[in-house]
Structures are given as C-alpha cells and as structure tokens.
Amino acid sequence: MMDITGTYTDQYQLAMGQVYFLSGRKDQTAVFDYFFRKNPFKGGYTVFAGLHELLKVLEKLRFDAEDLSFLRFQGMHPDFLAYLKGFRFQGTIHACREGDLVFPTRPVVRVEAPLIEAQLIETLLLNMLNFQSLIATKASRMQRVAQGRTLIDFGLRRAQGLGGYHASRAAVIGGFAATSNVRAARDFGLAPSGTMAHSFIQSCADELTAFRQFAEGWPDNCVLLVDTYDTLKSGVPNAITVGKEMARRGHRLKAIRLDSGDLAYLAQRSRAMLDAAGLHDVKIAASNQLDEYVIKSLLEQEAPIDLFGVGTNLVTGQPDAALDGVYKLAAVDGQPLIKISENVEKITLPHAKQVFRAFNGEGRFLGADAVGIAGEPPITMMHHPFMPHKSFPLADCPLEPLLTPVMKQGRIVADSPDLPAIADFCRSRLALLPAEYQRFENPHIYKVGISTRLRDARDRLIAEHKS
Amino acid sequence: MMDITGTYTDQYQLAMGQVYFLSGRKDQTAVFDYFFRKNPFKGGYTVFAGLHELLKVLEKLRFDAEDLSFLRFQGMHPDFLAYLKGFRFQGTIHACREGDLVFPTRPVVRVEAPLIEAQLIETLLLNMLNFQSLIATKASRMQRVAQGRTLIDFGLRRAQGLGGYHASRAAVIGGFAATSNVRAARDFGLAPSGTMAHSFIQSCADELTAFRQFAEGWPDNCVLLVDTYDTLKSGVPNAITVGKEMARRGHRLKAIRLDSGDLAYLAQRSRAMLDAAGLHDVKIAASNQLDEYVIKSLLEQEAPIDLFGVGTNLVTGQPDAALDGVYKLAAVDGQPLIKISENVEKITLPHAKQVFRAFNGEGRFLGADAVGIAGEPPITMMHHPFMPHKSFPLADCPLEPLLTPVMKQGRIVADSPDLPAIADFCRSRLALLPAEYQRFENPHIYKVGISTRLRDARDRLIAEHKS
C-alpha cells in the first residue's frame, strides 16, 4: 500500500542516530521493550495487533534516494548519510503472538539490535503497534456484546486519513467479519461489503424504481437502504414489494438496512412487516453512530438486527484515539539499565526479559502474568512491582512463555499467519479470559508481577542511582 | 507516499457504480455537495484542509491491475470492469480555498461529474477532507492560545497508523511551525524538528556525559532533555554545565526540554537557574500530553515556555477523532434533488450552489454565510434554513463568493499554493473572524442562511414529496 521508508520516523531518532554513529557507539547491543501503561476504553485487556505488518515492513526498510537527499539538505553528516544508505534492520525481535491479550506495564515486544538500528525503528514500531492494537481492542469489545451477530467495518470515510487502511485489518483481528474498505480487502484478503447509499435512491425517479434497478443489478447480493424518505411508510413496503418480485424470479432479497431513527423500534416494526409478508429470511442490517454500548443496548432491547455496520467509533477508536505504548531501553552491551522517575510506576524494568502467563487448573488464564529476566530458572513467586509486601506464589501454576522469536538478524523467522488465523487465535484467547476481566464497568485488574531476581536487579540499580 | 488507487473506496460505491453502468445512467450529470454538520471540539469554526492533496490524487486516480483482478474475483460484471480499467475522473470541482474558515451545513466543495465518477470518488474525498480539516482545526486552536510561542508536532508514534502523514501536513496549516515526522517533512517541505529521547541519556555512563556527547554531535542544534533522572537537581544543572562549555567554544545551547512533572513550576525554576547562570538565550521547550487547554493554562500561569511539543492530542484530534463531513446529491441531469428526513435539519439543499461570505464595514467577517443557487442574481436577503420568520438583509454587505473552480474535467485549474501560503491564508482569515467565534466556551454561532430562490426551490420539492 505505502512505501514506508527510513524517514518514517521522528527527527530525534536520526539526531540521536548520528551521535551514536559519530561517537562510535552505533554497534552497542541494545535491548528495548515495547509496552503500554493503560488498557484503552477503561477496559480490562488489550488485543495485540499489527505485529506481522510491522515485521514485513522492517524486513524491507531502507532509506531511499529521496530520503537521503532530504537528509543531506538538512545537514546530516556525510559519513552518517553513507551509513544510512546501506541501512538494514538486522535486529532480533521476540514478541507476543499477534491477537493475544496483553496487559499494561509488561513487555509485549522485545527488540535486541545494534543501538542505532533499535533507535531508528522506534517510531515506526510504535506507530503500527499502538494503532492496530487500539482498533483490534475496540473491535473485540463490540464482538463481545454482539451475541454472534455479524459486524462490518464501515469506517473509511471517517477514518483518520490513510489510517483507515490498517484499521480495517485490525478490526478483523478483533472479530469483525467484513469491511467496506475495498483496498484493505484487496490487500489483506478481507471480505468486502456494501450495497447502496441514499444518493442511489435519490438519483432514481422514486424509491421503488431505485430498489428494482438495484435488485436487477445485484440479484444475489441485494441489500436495500430503507430510510431515504420514510422507513416504515415507504422504505420497508417498497423493499417488501421488491423482495416478493425477486422471490418470484428465484432470487432472494438479502437484507434491508436501517441508517437513522430509533433503530430498536424500527427494527422491530420492520421485522414484523417482513415476516407478515412471508420474507422471514430477509435480514436486517443497522448502522448510524454505533459503538459497543449502543450495540449492547439494542440487543438488550431484543432488536431483531442481524448485521451491524460500524464506522467512526470503530476505526478511530473513540473515545480514546490512541494506545499509550512506549519503547524503553532496558540494557546496553549486556548492562541492565533503568529510567528513574519520581512516579514509581514509571520506573522501567532492566534486562532482557521474558513474560509468563499463569493458567489455572481448568486451563484458563489465572489473571497473572509474571515478568522475569530472560533465561532465569522457572519462576515460583511473583511480586507486585512497587508494593514490597504483595507477592503471589506461582509454583503450582502452568506457565506459558509469551515472548517468542519472530525476527532474527532482520529476517522474519515466525510463520506469518493469515488474518483469519490471527482472529481465531484472538477469539481462543478471549475464551480463556474470565468474564470479570472482559466486562466494561470496572473490570478486574489483571495482575502483572515480577520475579524475585528481576525485582532484586531493579532494586540494586535504584540504590546505585541514589548513591 | 502512498499509491492510492481506485479501490480506495467503499464497496457500495462500486456496487452502485455497476448499477449506474449497467442501467445506462453512468453519464448522467450529478452535483454533489461536501459539507459537515458540526464544528469539532465544540468550537465556533472549522479550518478547511486537505483540498490540494485530494486534487493531486484525483488527477491521477486509476484502477490498477491488482484492483481489477480483485474486483473480477469478487464477481463484478466484465463490462463494468472494462469501464473501470479506463476510468479517469473527469469532473469539475468548485471549492473553498484550502485554509479558509468554514461553517456547518453549507457546501465547502461542489463536485459536478458524470454520476458514476462522482460516486466512485466519494469515500476518498471524505477520507481526506474530513481528517485534515479536523487536525488543522485542532492545530489552529492551539495556535490561538500559544501567544506566539512555537508549536511543534510530535505525534507520529501515537498517530492513527499511516494517518500521521497527513496529520503533520494539516497541523502546519493550522499554525504549527515544525514536525518530528521526517517523512512528512520530506514530502510536504516542512521543517523537521527533534533532538533526543530518554534512551540516549540512559545509554551513556551518566547524564553529563550524554549531554556533552550530544552537544558535540549537534553544536548548532542542541536541545537537552532534562528529566531523565531529576529535572532540577540533575538535568538542569548538567545542562547549564554543558551550556557554559558550549558558549566557551563559541556555540550556543539552544534549549532544554521538560517532558514530565509540573511543567509550569519546572519551567519557572529552570528559567531562573538558566538566567542565574547567564544562559538567558537558552530556550525552554515543554512536552507531555499537551492540548489547547493545557497550553492556555501554562501561559496563564506565566510559565516561561518558548516551544510546545504536542503529540497525541494534536494528531488524533482528541477528543473528537473525526469530522462528520458528508457528501450529498443535489441534482442529476439538471434536476434539483433533496433528501427528506424527519429531522428537518437533515433535509438537504437542492441545486448546484454558491456560497457568499458577508463582510462588515471594517472588512471583517460579519458572521453570516449565504447559500444561493449557482448563478442567481446578487442575494439581498438570507433566510434561516428552517425557521420561516428569521431572515437577515444582505443588500448593504460586501459579499465574497467562496466556491471557485479548482478542477475542470479532471484537470487541476487552481494554482497549487505551497503549505506556508495555505497557513498564511488561514492566519489571515482567523484575523478576520471576531473573537467571539473563536473562544472555546460556547462560541457564537456563525449564521448560515439560504437565499430566497434557494428556499423557494427547496420548499417546492418538499411539497412535491409530500403530495
């Protein structure tokens, strides 16, 4: 879709990169963690998305001729420019599986690379993972309340510019079945979906003529928009007329779409009218400013809606608009590092780390992820990161390591699952997450603790900084 | 940046397009209006942005081989596919000038084109104009309260994926001076800006070493981030040490950057420390979750901050995330059309239209835009769109027509101003907009009325629909 080049970054990465280069530090080995501090939407979990798109871009990332000429014009050092000309990302990345459920404060991705390379990719990594994780999470919340109804992404016209492209991909990971976004459908193998706008009805002599013309053009995929003039007095009766005509010709009217007014009321009345006409298998689609709360409310009112088309609130991740993911340095040349902060929750964790998910006796998530130093012996006890007296025994729990190698020396080593497989994985993980973490109001907080070794290593570094 | 092709659209545009094509209606002449219903951010105006990017894309818009093969696989009709293969947008577009201030409910862009072409570009047009107008408006609100301080876009890492690209462009239209987004800077001729992250400090033996190394690498563009360990006890004193060393070598420390804590307090204390050290010309930059309200508050507290770096809230347009722009059919083959709605405010205006801005005796905006039928004689009276007894005389006001031709038969005919020129125009228009429309709290509502002829034409169509 887009030729992402080396300049898809923040200026300060290049400014630092030049200093790393000129001071001879570029090949120091750095370890960076990607994590976030808060689940979006006041929710209890986040769906991790964007990984395989990121890896594909990283494998091919180059500074092209335009990049180099721009940077030369900006006064970058000639030797650094020569380095950038040959730039390849050659780092190693461990990550959670795309589609997994992830929780605040612990590493979701670990990047080990020459310092300069790890720095230059930071912005790209954050840009892709933050946004797609936000949207996949939003989508999964709608999927949770949709009671098996079909969810369709209608968001491109209100998306944040080109951002709509990956929004449609992420929506499918979170449980959406299809998208109106044809380009995203083309590139990501999604099902495109959509039928008619009000303009089509307006452009015809009358609504019935418009419906007939559309049914003729799309005899096997005909969804009629019924609210252009008057939903119950004109739209639905005309749709019934055309639905019967189609049936006589051996076709089937697939659905009607409601796009304004009281959707619960109109769906009930429309369903009754369709059923009375014998059109029991004509479905009802609804759209218009939907989000997870409206969908939940509509279904609580037993609105007979079969398909929901969701636009703005899905693809822009309203009301949050951004996941607050960060990328923090944890070690250089094997030396563990922390960032001190007066806010203890913002003190980072040193070392290359692994994360383990604890399971309960029934094979579901226990509600605890433990972060340890990569390679340390099995963790038997995890500690609250900041409260010394809170700890939690893990000796009897099955633990699953979450960070697995996905890229080695710049080459993708993980299988690249297709989107349905990522969406399936997401669904399977949600099935393992107890309901109290999934509810919208004051969800349970998923515990994230640290191993004894990691805690001690961090506390030593804090003490060193203080002295 | 991105190869936008014909499939950058919603599926239903193609579904309708095929019916227009097969029913022989594709070359009917359609008139569509782009307008929006609500200013974002509870504000009193919207900055119109994205136009010249849109025009450039429209001039080159094609369905490429991948598009066509995807659509063939989706079962589109062979004749329609052959049409799409030769598709060129050949319509005519009238629009407000990019950077102008625009108001709800009246046409901002008018598209006149063969019905099928006008329909196929709808999604692209909405996607580009809605988003860039949203961000330019957000930026202009920050510019309004920044009292001449420099505003810099830091948003790429938290932007909505690829959306960050045009966000940086739009921010400059609204008054931002520079961006951290190097790719946007490269492609749009913006000033790139940025210096160092916490990771740079952490990667060195200590903060002072880090500052010295950076000053050596960037002697003429050195901004030091002072909050990695302790802003006032460590960061600022070390920056002063390095600032004095630089001065002795004939260079100048450009600025320090505060990125956490109480920015008002820290800026005041830092300023005092810098001044006491004789470093009066070292500026103070601040970042961390800024928006127009925080900037306003900081400056009301007289925080001596010279540069503001704004990220998430700028590039995602928080808290609104989308402008609600729509694209409505106003005529086909010369026949005026409306869309009826039970909500009278949603009844559309028929005919190809022109919009006039009224000026007061001092040459400032009067607070009234009048919409008339394109080509009608000078408007002397404008009417409230829905309230019959409200009208407003315009006979004595200078009126400026706002919609001018920018594309004819698919070719750009307007000059393409560069971004500084668009930003200048925006600034000049804001200077003409009285303050009561610019304030954040309950701004004055800019009147948008309709001409007598347009009102009568609309009312005739409503009456016809009722009968």
Side-chain angles (χ1 to χ4, degrees):
Chain A
M1 173 68 163
M2 130 164 288
D3 64 325
I4 292 178
T5 59
T7 54
Y8 197 89
T9 191
D10 285 310
Q11 171 71 11
Y12 77 178
Q13 316 289 9
L14 290 161
M16 291 185 277
Q18 177 163 314
V19 178
Y20 292 142
F21 180 85
L22 295 176
S23 63
R25 299 206 285 127
K26 77 176 173 60
D27 290 325
Q28 291 182 339
T29 308
V31 179
F32 278 87
D33 294 323
Y34 168 69
F35 63 97
F36 56 93
R37 296 208 172 97
K38 211 161 60 84
N39 288 314
F41 317 119
K42 301 196 172 97
Y45 67 90
T46 296
V47 175
F48 174 48
L51 176 67
H52 289 284
E53 280 299 291
L54 172 68
L55 296 176
K56 275 186 224 165
V57 173
L58 283 179
E59 205 172 43
K60 295 189 173 158
L61 192 66
R62 305 286 184 268
F63 288 83
D64 70 10
E66 270 188 87
D67 284 343
L68 295 168
S69 108
F70 179 73
L71 296 175
R72 187 174 305 114
F73 183 74
Q74 295 299 324
M76 289 281 171
H77 194 285
D79 296 347
F80 181 54
L81 287 169
Y83 163 77
L84 292 180
K85 192 173 177 186
F87 173 88
R88 304 282 183 276
F89 179 70
Q90 293 172 88
T92 290
I93 298 180
H94 289 71
C96 292
R97 276 177 66 180
E98 186 164 2
D100 204 352
L101 308 180
V102 294
F103 302 95
T105 76
R106 55 94 166 155
V108 178
V109 176
R110 182 175 96 218
V111 175
E112 291 162 286
L115 180 57
I116 195 168
E117 295 176 22
Q119 195 79 65
L120 288 170
I121 68 160
E122 173 182 357
T123 304
L124 171 64
L125 179 148
L126 290 172
N127 176 268
M128 295 192 77
L129 301 184
N130 280 339
F131 179 54
Q132 291 192 53
S133 298
L134 179 83
I135 303 306
T137 306
K138 187 74 175 175
S140 87
R141 292 164 62 83
M142 299 189 197
Q143 183 272 333
R144 179 171 177 270
V145 294
Q147 301 181 13
R149 266 67 165 191
T150 302
L151 294 168
I152 304 170
D153 153 34
F154 278 3
L156 183 57
R157 59 190 48 212
R158 298 279 172 81
Q160 298 214 335
L162 305 178
Y165 182 62
H166 286 119
S168 297
R169 177 184 187 273
V172 169
I173 292 174
F176 272 57
T179 182
S180 70
N181 182 340
V182 187
R183 179 59 184 268
R186 184 197 101 171
D187 291 356
F188 298 124
L190 315 179
S193 174
T195 58
M196 61 162 64
H198 297 115
S199 57
F200 183 84
I201 316 278
Q202 286 176 273
S203 76
C204 293
D206 55 55
E207 192 178 52
L208 186 59
T209 306
F211 285 2
R212 282 181 173 139
Q213 196 174 92
F214 201 84
E216 200 166 320
W218 294 100
D220 298 312
N221 189 21
C222 182
V223 178
L224 300 174
L225 178 63
V226 293
D227 73 333
T228 305
Y229 301 115
D230 187 305
T231 300
L232 298 178
K233 287 187 193 146
S234 168
V236 177
N238 283 331
I240 286 172
T241 301
V242 172
K244 287 179 175 172
E245 290 170 1
M246 292 178 77
R248 281 196 288 276
R249 290 197 304 273
H251 296 296
R252 184 171 76 76
L253 174 60
K254 198 166 156 189
I256 61 168
R257 177 159 74 95
L258 307 168
D259 187 44
S260 61
D262 185 318
L263 296 176
Y265 171 77
L266 292 174
Q268 268 144 2
R269 293 294 310 274
S270 302
R271 181 76 270 159
M273 292 164 76
L274 289 166
D275 287 348
L279 297 173
H280 301 280
D281 52 0
V282 175
K283 295 195 186 304
I284 296 178
S287 51
N288 195 23
Q289 301 295 326
L290 302 181
D291 65 12
E292 62 268 49
Y293 299 98
V294 178
I295 293 171
K296 185 164 184 271
S297 163
L298 286 169
L299 293 177
E300 280 167 0
Q301 295 168 75
E302 300 187 347
I305 297 171
D306 306 287
L307 303 99
F308 292 97
V310 189
T312 315
N313 292 311
L314 170 69
V315 299
T316 66
Q318 278 277 50
D320 279 2
L323 181 73
D324 69 350
V326 294
Y327 183 80
K328 293 291 177 188
L329 186 60
V332 168
D333 275 352
Q335 178 164 355
L337 297 170
I338 56 172
K339 180 189 169 307
I340 298 288
S341 171
E342 288 173 45
N343 182 344
V344 288
E345 292 173 24
K346 285 198 168 185
I347 297 177
T348 60
L349 294 171
H351 286 285
K353 293 174 287 294
Q354 177 58 281
V355 182
F356 297 89
R357 177 151 300 166
F359 286 74
N360 65 19
E362 294 143 21
R364 302 187 78 198
F365 296 168
L366 185 64
D369 280 0
V371 186
I373 297 172
E376 73 167 288
I379 299 174
T380 52
M381 179 72 77
M382 78 176 202
H383 306 272
H384 189 287
F386 320 112
M387 300 191 193
H389 301 296
K390 280 193 157 182
S391 58
F392 191 84
L394 292 173
D396 300 328
C397 308
L399 293 178
E400 177 189 298
L402 297 181
L403 301 178
T404 59
V406 292
M407 175 168 267
K408 283 188 176 167
Q409 286 153 350
R411 291 278 138 209
I412 295 172
V413 294
D415 291 336
S416 287
D418 60 11
L419 274 181
I422 297 172
D424 281 348
F425 180 64
C426 180
R427 196 174 309 118
S428 74
R429 297 298 263 190
L430 280 165
L432 299 181
L433 182 70
E436 58 264 32
Y437 298 95
Q438 296 193 44
R439 69 176 179 231
F440 294 164
E441 297 78 19
N442 299 317
H444 241 55
I445 294 171
Y446 206 97
K447 286 191 186 65
V448 175
I450 57 179
S451 71
T452 310
R453 286 190 185 217
L454 180 56
R455 181 197 63 184
D456 294 348
R458 182 198 62 182
D459 290 350
R460 268 195 306 277
L461 286 171
I462 294 175
E464 275 174 31
H465 268 285
K466 281 197 177 154
S467 68
Chain B
M1 174 70 161
M2 130 163 291
D3 64 326
I4 291 178
T5 60
T7 53
Y8 197 88
T9 192
D10 286 309
Q11 171 71 11
Y12 78 177
Q13 316 289 9
L14 290 161
M16 290 186 278
Q18 176 162 316
V19 178
Y20 292 142
F21 180 85
L22 295 177
S23 62
R25 298 206 287 125
K26 76 176 173 57
D27 290 324
Q28 291 183 338
T29 307
V31 179
F32 277 88
D33 294 324
Y34 168 69
F35 63 96
F36 56 94
R37 296 208 172 97
K38 210 162 61 85
N39 287 314
F41 317 121
K42 302 195 172 96
Y45 67 90
T46 296
V47 175
F48 174 47
L51 176 67
H52 289 283
E53 280 299 292
L54 172 69
L55 296 177
K56 276 185 224 164
V57 174
L58 282 180
E59 206 172 45
K60 296 190 174 159
L61 191 65
R62 304 287 183 269
F63 287 83
D64 70 9
E66 270 187 87
D67 284 343
L68 295 168
S69 109
F70 179 72
L71 296 175
R72 187 173 305 114
F73 182 75
Q74 296 298 324
M76 289 283 171
H77 194 285
D79 296 347
F80 181 54
L81 288 169
Y83 163 77
L84 292 179
K85 191 172 177 184
F87 174 87
R88 304 282 184 275
F89 180 71
Q90 293 173 89
T92 291
I93 298 180
H94 289 71
C96 292
R97 276 178 66 180
E98 184 162 4
D100 204 350
L101 308 181
V102 293
F103 303 95
T105 77
R106 55 92 166 158
V108 178
V109 176
R110 181 175 96 218
V111 175
E112 289 161 286
L115 180 57
I116 194 168
E117 296 176 21
Q119 195 79 66
L120 287 170
I121 68 161
E122 172 181 358
T123 303
L124 171 63
L125 179 147
L126 291 172
N127 176 269
M128 294 192 79
L129 301 184
N130 280 338
F131 179 54
Q132 292 192 53
S133 298
L134 178 83
I135 303 305
T137 307
K138 186 74 176 176
S140 88
R141 291 164 62 84
M142 300 189 196
Q143 183 271 335
R144 180 172 177 269
V145 295
Q147 301 181 12
R149 267 67 163 190
T150 301
L151 295 168
I152 305 170
D153 152 33
F154 279 3
L156 184 57
R157 58 190 48 211
R158 298 278 173 80
Q160 298 214 337
L162 305 178
Y165 182 63
H166 287 119
S168 298
R169 175 184 188 273
V172 168
I173 293 173
F176 272 57
T179 182
S180 69
N181 182 340
V182 187
R183 179 60 184 267
R186 184 197 101 172
D187 292 355
F188 299 123
L190 315 179
S193 174
T195 58
M196 61 163 63
H198 297 116
S199 56
F200 183 84
I201 316 278
Q202 285 175 274
S203 75
C204 292
D206 55 56
E207 192 178 52
L208 187 58
T209 306
F211 285 2
R212 282 182 172 139
Q213 196 173 93
F214 200 83
E216 200 166 319
W218 294 100
D220 299 311
N221 190 19
C222 182
V223 178
L224 300 173
L225 178 63
V226 293
D227 73 332
T228 306
Y229 302 116
D230 187 306
T231 300
L232 297 178
K233 289 188 191 145
S234 167
V236 177
N238 284 331
I240 287 172
T241 301
V242 172
K244 288 179 173 171
E245 291 169 2
M246 292 178 77
R248 281 197 287 277
R249 290 196 304 273
H251 297 296
R252 185 171 75 77
L253 174 59
K254 198 167 157 189
I256 60 169
R257 177 160 74 97
L258 307 169
D259 188 43
S260 60
D262 185 320
L263 296 177
Y265 171 77
L266 292 174
Q268 269 145 1
R269 293 294 311 275
S270 303
R271 182 74 271 158
M273 291 163 77
L274 289 166
D275 287 348
L279 297 172
H280 301 280
D281 53 0
V282 174
K283 293 192 188 307
I284 296 178
S287 50
N288 195 21
Q289 300 296 326
L290 302 180
D291 65 12
E292 62 268 49
Y293 299 99
V294 177
I295 293 171
K296 187 163 183 272
S297 163
L298 287 168
L299 293 177
E300 280 168 1
Q301 296 168 73
E302 301 187 348
I305 296 170
D306 306 287
L307 304 98
F308 292 97
V310 189
T312 315
N313 292 310
L314 169 68
V315 299
T316 65
Q318 278 279 47
D320 278 3
L323 181 73
D324 69 351
V326 294
Y327 183 80
K328 294 290 177 189
L329 186 60
V332 168
D333 274 353
Q335 176 162 359
L337 295 171
I338 56 172
K339 180 191 170 305
I340 298 288
S341 171
E342 288 174 45
N343 182 345
V344 288
E345 292 173 25
K346 286 199 166 182
I347 297 176
T348 60
L349 294 171
H351 284 286
K353 294 174 288 292
Q354 177 57 280
V355 182
F356 297 89
R357 177 151 302 167
F359 286 75
N360 66 18
E362 295 144 19
R364 302 185 78 198
F365 296 168
L366 185 64
D369 280 0
V371 186
I373 296 172
E376 73 167 288
I379 299 174
T380 53
M381 181 70 78
M382 78 177 202
H383 306 272
H384 189 287
F386 321 113
M387 300 191 192
H389 302 295
K390 281 192 157 182
S391 58
F392 190 84
L394 292 173
D396 300 329
C397 308
L399 294 178
E400 178 188 300
L402 297 181
L403 301 178
T404 59
V406 293
M407 175 167 267
K408 282 188 179 168
Q409 286 154 347
R411 291 278 138 209
I412 296 172
V413 294
D415 291 336
S416 286
D418 60 12
L419 273 182
I422 297 172
D424 280 349
F425 180 65
C426 180
R427 196 174 311 120
S428 74
R429 297 297 263 189
L430 280 165
L432 299 180
L433 182 71
E436 58 264 32
Y437 298 95
Q438 296 193 43
R439 69 176 180 233
F440 295 165
E441 297 76 20
N442 298 319
H444 240 55
I445 292 169
Y446 206 97
K447 286 188 186 66
V448 175
I450 57 179
S451 71
T452 310
R453 286 191 184 217
L454 180 56
R455 183 198 59 183
D456 294 348
R458 182 199 59 182
D459 291 350
R460 267 196 306 278
L461 285 171
I462 293 175
E464 276 175 31
H465 269 284
K466 280 195 177 156
S467 67

